[in-house]
Amino acid sequence: MYDNFFELGGDSLLATQIFSRLKQAFFIDISLEKMLSYQSIAQLSEVIQNEIQPEEGKAKTHYYCSFEMKMGDEIITIYITEEEYRCQGLPDGAINFNIL
């Protein structure tokens, strides 16, 4: 979880595939550059969590719905826009779907 992806034999092609799957699974628009900067699962999970949850005190009005997903031992809430929902639907494993 804390090991460096590239030190374990990962390369840019595999990183690009992971990047694509993360975008699809978590409805996030994270830059490939940012993903390559955070090279362990632990670091990347923090980036993903920050991308999928609204900031404290920030209005959630531009989000269309929310759902929960299990990430490791935790259950996290993910907020998505109507466009994301209509284009991509919900990922496998989504639970407790709510329209806001």
Side-chain angles (χ1 to χ4, degrees):
M1 186 151 165
Y2 299 98
D3 294 327
N4 183 293
F5 171 76
F6 294 103
E7 290 175 2
L8 293 174
D11 58 26
S12 59
L13 181 60
L14 184 56
T16 303
Q17 291 173 347
I18 293 169
F19 168 74
S20 177
R21 290 180 184 166
L22 286 173
K23 285 179 76 166
Q24 185 177 26
F26 294 106
F27 301 101
I28 57 174
D29 192 19
I30 184 173
S31 70
L32 182 57
E33 180 182 352
K34 185 181 271 189
M35 186 185 148
L36 295 175
S37 298
Y38 300 93
Q39 298 177 2
S40 74
I41 293 173
Q43 292 173 326
L44 198 52
S45 68
E46 280 187 44
V47 171
I48 292 169
Q49 189 137 0
N50 290 337
E51 290 288 327
I52 60 178
Q53 294 184 339
E55 297 173 23
E56 282 293 318
K58 187 176 179 182
K60 300 176 187 175
T61 55
H62 68 284
Y63 293 107
Y64 176 71
C65 66
S66 68
F67 58 91
E68 295 178 337
M69 288 198 68
K70 189 168 184 175
M71 227 175 141
D73 293 335
E74 295 182 49
I75 294 181
I76 59 170
T77 303
I78 300 172
Y79 297 89
I80 61 174
T81 65
E82 184 173 5
E83 180 181 349
E84 291 167 331
Y85 174 71
R86 295 195 187 284
C87 290
Q88 300 175 11
L90 294 174
D92 292 338
I95 54 176
N96 296 331
F97 173 78
N98 294 301
I99 293 180
L100 304 174

